[in-house]
Amino acid sequence: MWGSLIGKAKEGGIDVIQTYVFWNLHEPEKGQYDFSGRADIVRFIKEIQAHGLYASLRIGPFIEAEWNYGGLPFWLHDVPGIVYRCDNEPFKVHMQNFTTKIVNMMKSENLYASQGGPIILSQIENEYEMVEHAFHEKGPPYVRWAAQMAVGLQTGVPWMMCKQYDAPDPVINTCNGMKCGVSFPGPNSPNKPWLWTENWTTWYRAYGKEPKTRSAQDIAFQVALFVARNGTFVNYYMYHGGTNFGRTTSAFTTTSYYDDAPLDEYGFIRLPKWGHLKQLHEAIKSCSNPILFGTQFTLSLGQQQMGYIYQRNSGECAAFLVNQDDTKSVAVIFHNSSYELGPSSVNGKNNTRLITTGKKFNESEMWQEFKDIIPTFADTSMRSKTLLEHMNTTKDMSDYLWYTF
């Protein structure tokens, strides 16, 4: 499905495809790697390149992502003396090994932009500032080490840390959330660009919770405002969510992931979200010259109304006229003309799916049957006079531990 999904994203005005790198998918057993089939990340990056798009690689290797163990492989559990995600030598050794493995794979295929490839950004760690305080004195040196380690791999493209305001130079601090157009204070150094790593297009769903959604208008408002404030990169999380098959999803999270994204769980176009954002992307790109090469200044247009203006010496101008009042429309005057600005966010119409029939599964040869192997007691080898701890016994190969007494 990769080609079709990337093609629909490109048609929707997307320039960059961003992906996490799933450590527990690629190294399920220590030193045993899997980059085959749906785990073929090199092939995925090359598919992006074939469509003429760029790539953003969020290596982590802790990724969260509502993914089992946040992407950390279970075998780390058995490494003596390990403490995850802090200034702990056993963890740092394995984290560096995996990060280096991924970077070297990309380098060997000339996939970094510095080599003529599509990868323009990489990420190390993930939303660490949210938990850093829990590690006390072991947190800050870990951040510095992770940044230094990543930069030392010499990819020739920038590294970023999302939700890490004190990201050490030259690593770029970025924003995650729904309202980074308003809430993000900006990069922690004047020579760093404004990056928004995750613009949440909806909420992921948890069992027992009421489903929530987010309107296309609210997403578009925040994107436009972020670009107006110097934003140079906005990534939608998720643009396509998909299905977390098997045991890959984290506790309490449904297997259906971000079905309300512009491309739904099955890869179908969701309207009006997909189309509304497509129009936004076209509008922003139509005035890219003054945004990129003009001088920016701001203009007060009212109590909650602001103009962000980009002006070139030639007179070419791009103006973002912002109404942050989410309750009413307001008329403003700009360049001797009147403009009616709607509320910052409004309730959108119900999302619909744009569905076409691809294949019908109405023949017996289209189906396969899978059966669980249920062992008999005589065929088992483990014997114990005490109850065994679940995870140490199953090594996460199964959710089930059966006892016979």
Side-chain angles (χ1 to χ4, degrees):
M1 295 176 69
W2 290 346
S4 169
L5 293 167
I6 293 168
K8 289 175 184 175
K10 182 178 182 180
E11 187 183 352
I14 298 299
D15 302 304
V16 183
I17 302 294
Q18 179 165 275
T19 183
Y20 279 124
V21 182
F22 302 85
W23 188 0
N24 57 2
L25 178 69
H26 295 303
E27 194 181 5
E29 300 290 335
K30 183 179 177 182
Q32 298 179 19
Y33 296 98
D34 181 10
F35 296 100
S36 62
R38 62 191 294 263
D40 191 345
I41 190 168
V42 167
R43 181 183 168 193
F44 181 70
I45 300 297
K46 287 183 175 179
E47 186 73 41
I48 295 170
Q49 186 177 28
H51 280 78
L53 302 182
Y54 297 103
S56 172
L57 200 61
R58 299 177 74 184
I59 298 176
F62 175 83
I63 59 171
E64 182 54 61
E66 292 74 58
W67 186 263
N68 201 22
Y69 298 122
L72 298 180
F74 182 78
W75 55 262
L76 285 174
H77 174 271
D78 294 330
V79 174
I82 196 167
V83 180
Y84 299 162
R85 304 179 71 201
C86 72
D87 190 22
N88 171 268
E89 287 305 317
F91 180 75
K92 291 195 297 185
V93 165
H94 293 292
M95 173 178 168
Q96 183 169 1
N97 286 345
F98 180 74
T99 304
T100 304
K101 171 85 173 178
I102 297 299
V103 167
N104 287 342
M105 284 178 62
M106 300 301 131
K107 280 184 176 180
S108 67
E109 299 288 339
N110 296 318
L111 292 177
Y112 283 104
S114 56
Q115 304 170 296
I119 302 174
I120 59 172
L121 280 169
S122 296
Q123 179 176 293
I124 194 70
E125 250 300 336
N126 192 61
E127 300 183 327
Y128 187 70
E129 191 173 277
M130 298 172 64
V131 298
E132 184 176 346
H133 65 279
F135 294 100
H136 306 292
E137 73 279 0
K138 294 286 188 177
Y142 170 68
V143 173
R144 295 191 292 271
W145 169 84
Q148 184 179 21
M149 181 269 290
V151 173
L153 295 174
Q154 299 182 330
T155 64
V157 302
W159 287 87
M160 57 186 177
M161 285 181 168
C162 66
K163 282 194 173 181
Q164 188 68 42
Y165 186 73
D166 62 351
D169 290 340
V171 177
I172 304 163
N173 62 296
T174 75
C175 187
N176 284 7
M178 288 189 173
K179 300 188 181 296
C180 291
V182 175
S183 62
F184 187 48
N188 61 19
S189 174
N191 64 336
K192 297 178 184 180
W194 289 52
L195 306 183
W196 187 353
T197 331
E198 293 185 11
N199 181 5
W200 303 333
T201 56
T202 182
W203 285 261
Y204 68 87
R205 294 185 179 180
Y207 287 107
K209 300 293 184 181
E210 288 295 320
K212 298 179 181 180
T213 188
R214 187 184 180 197
S215 72
Q217 291 90 336
D218 185 51
I219 300 171
F221 173 77
Q222 290 293 329
V223 171
L225 186 55
F226 189 77
V227 173
R229 295 179 62 211
N230 286 323
T232 58
F233 174 87
V234 178
N235 177 78
Y236 298 106
Y237 192 93
M238 305 282 291
Y239 195 79
H240 165 64
T243 310
N244 289 330
F245 293 103
R247 304 170 61 249
T248 54
T249 191
S250 65
F252 308 116
T253 308
T254 63
T255 54
S256 173
Y257 194 62
Y258 277 83
D259 181 51
D260 199 32
L263 299 179
D264 72 8
E265 178 183 1
Y266 311 102
F268 294 128
I269 288 173
R270 276 275 200 178
L271 298 174
K273 199 169 279 187
W274 182 89
H276 194 77
L277 295 177
K278 174 181 169 70
Q279 290 181 316
L280 170 70
H281 303 149
E282 290 172 347
I284 291 175
K285 290 175 184 178
S286 70
C287 51
S288 58
N289 277 337
I291 293 175
L292 290 171
F293 305 111
T295 301
Q296 188 212 47
F297 62 93
T298 58
L299 181 67
S300 176
L301 300 170
Q303 286 189 339
Q304 297 189 66
Q305 292 74 43
M306 177 74 71
Y308 294 87
I309 320 300
Y310 291 86
Q311 184 91 39
R312 297 196 69 178
N313 292 335
S314 63
E316 188 179 6
C317 167
F320 293 82
L321 309 181
V322 179
N323 176 22
Q324 296 203 53
D325 189 332
D326 60 5
T327 63
K328 62 183 178 180
S329 297
V330 176
V332 299
I333 302 296
F334 176 71
H335 280 193
N336 297 320
S337 296
S338 178
Y339 295 89
E340 185 79 12
L341 306 182
S344 61
S345 67
V346 296
N347 292 326
K349 298 177 182 177
N350 290 332
N351 268 349
T352 58
R353 304 175 199 265
L354 188 64
I355 299 176
T356 55
T357 301
K359 187 181 292 185
K360 292 184 177 180
F361 295 93
N362 56 359
E363 297 179 9
S364 59
E365 60 264 26
M366 300 295 295
W367 297 88
Q368 288 179 278
E369 183 181 12
F370 294 88
K371 291 185 176 181
D372 283 332
I373 299 173
I374 301 175
T376 60
F377 181 75
D379 297 329
T380 62
S381 59
M382 186 170 290
R383 302 289 183 269
S384 174
K385 294 184 178 181
T386 61
L387 290 174
L388 302 175
E389 197 275 323
H390 189 142
M391 302 309 290
N392 279 314
T393 307
T394 63
K395 300 301 181 186
D396 198 43
M397 297 302 292
S398 170
D399 286 328
Y400 303 102
L401 180 59
W402 289 19
Y403 291 91
T404 298
F405 292 92

